[in-house]
Amino acid sequence: MPNAKQVVETARTRTRTKATLKKDVAASVDALKCKSSRKHRKALKRYGIPTGNALGVPMKEIQALGRRLRPDHELALALWKTGFYEARIL
């Protein structure tokens, strides 16, 4: 499983095709899953966030990954389609 740094490096250096976009999305979701915890997922209920599609990643980690990925509209649209709460924020 790639770590967040590997995800960032591959996302920046590729000429994007549909196949590489799918890989970038999968790697980004994997990076989020690595940072998730059951404790944070339970805490989302306090803020009224449905936990059905939430991974439980702290906002600090989501923001850190977002800064490393930099703005990328194509990747953002693909992450939105995953349905994961944290991927949509990212």
Side-chain angles (χ1 to χ4, degrees):
M1 185 177 302
N3 62 25
K5 188 173 183 179
Q6 291 169 335
V7 171
V8 171
E9 291 305 317
T10 57
R12 283 188 200 158
T13 58
R14 285 191 188 143
T15 303
R16 186 150 305 138
T17 63
K18 286 184 180 183
T20 57
L21 180 62
K22 285 183 181 181
K23 287 180 184 179
D24 290 345
V25 169
S28 299
V29 171
D30 285 343
L32 286 171
K33 286 181 180 179
C34 288
K35 302 290 184 178
S36 67
S37 72
R38 191 171 289 192
K39 175 184 162 189
H40 285 90
R41 185 174 179 193
K42 288 182 180 180
L44 292 175
K45 288 183 181 181
R46 287 187 301 178
Y47 302 107
I49 298 168
T51 58
N53 287 334
L55 299 172
V57 181
M59 185 58 73
K60 178 181 175 182
E61 299 295 335
I62 296 170
Q63 290 172 340
L65 182 58
R67 279 190 296 271
R68 285 180 274 168
L69 287 175
R70 297 187 183 163
D72 183 346
H73 190 71
E74 223 178 351
L75 181 60
L77 289 174
L79 285 169
W80 184 267
K81 290 178 184 177
T82 65
F84 290 116
Y85 173 74
E86 290 84 352
R88 288 180 167 196
I89 292 173
L90 181 63

